[in-house]
Amino acid sequence: MRLASELSGRPVVTLGGDVLAQIKDTVFDVPAGRIVGFTLSGRGVLAGPLKESLPWPGVHALGRHAVMVTGKQALAGPKAVVTPGDAARGAVLGVKVLTDAGMEVGSVKDVVVESGTSGRVAGLRITAADSADGRRRDVFVPHDQVLSLSGHALVVPADARRLVAEELPSFTSQAEVFLTREASSW
């Protein structure tokens, strides 16, 4: 499992060892539950965004320290990942989370993606207030619990706040347990 926020800044490296760019943003198709691709920036503090993007089919592997591609031909123009009409729909981080009963329960903190080459979105990490004590907690919402997403709100069932964890290691293990359970039921 990887958090989308961990991918930002990760180098894009060819199988030949050449560093082409670094990941700027991850672009999702949340309703479909997958990564569309990445916007890129140059390497270094003063480097700005590149006019190229990395569509998901060009990814050879999503590794712990780098995103691997077979070669420079994996890169494409920016419209291969983000088209002007899709830009608002692709906003995920920071979006309000509402239940289907109309109650605001928090905001999207991160997107949990599977490691490897699937590009699958496992679920969302939201920061939610615990109504019992008012504290903020991280909650894992499985992808299949997402009812809808716009540029303004993510809607989930009222009972989707079930996998609660206060620490990321616990959160990650709970998300993996959920995915293992889901995979065995297929």
Side-chain angles (χ1 to χ4, degrees):
M1 298 285 167
R2 300 271 184 259
L3 296 175
S5 61
E6 295 173 344
L7 300 176
S8 184
R10 194 169 286 184
V12 176
V13 181
T14 68
L15 293 177
D18 296 322
V19 178
L20 301 177
Q22 66 183 25
I23 301 298
K24 182 175 183 269
D25 291 307
T26 304
V27 180
F28 299 97
D29 181 346
V30 174
R34 65 181 181 82
I35 297 174
V36 173
F38 304 99
T39 61
L40 303 173
S41 64
R43 299 203 59 224
V45 177
L46 300 176
L50 296 179
K51 293 186 180 194
E52 296 174 302
S53 65
L54 175 58
W56 182 258
V59 173
H60 177 77
L62 182 62
R64 172 175 259 177
H65 301 289
V67 176
M68 301 302 295
V69 297
T70 56
K72 187 167 176 60
Q73 74 279 4
L75 304 183
K79 290 183 180 177
V81 173
V82 178
T83 59
D86 291 337
R89 192 186 71 193
V92 178
L93 302 183
V95 169
K96 283 192 281 189
V97 179
L98 304 171
T99 69
D100 56 357
M103 179 180 189
E104 185 175 338
V105 293
S107 62
V108 177
K109 186 172 185 177
D110 219 329
V111 179
V112 181
V113 298
E114 290 184 359
S115 298
T117 59
S118 74
R120 182 174 173 237
V121 172
L124 302 167
R125 179 181 180 190
I126 68 170
T127 298
D130 186 343
S131 58
D133 62 12
R135 292 188 324 156
R136 308 289 289 169
R137 297 176 191 254
D138 286 346
V139 179
F140 174 73
V141 177
H143 172 262
D144 65 357
Q145 295 288 308
V146 174
L147 299 177
S148 66
L149 172 70
S150 70
H152 306 287
L154 172 81
V155 181
V156 298
D159 67 348
R161 296 175 42 166
R162 56 190 160 120
L163 295 176
V164 178
E166 292 180 77
E167 298 178 38
L168 184 57
S170 175
F171 171 85
T172 302
S173 65
Q174 287 186 38
E176 287 174 350
V177 165
F178 173 81
L179 290 173
T180 301
R181 195 171 354 138
E182 287 295 304
S184 66
S185 67
W186 291 343

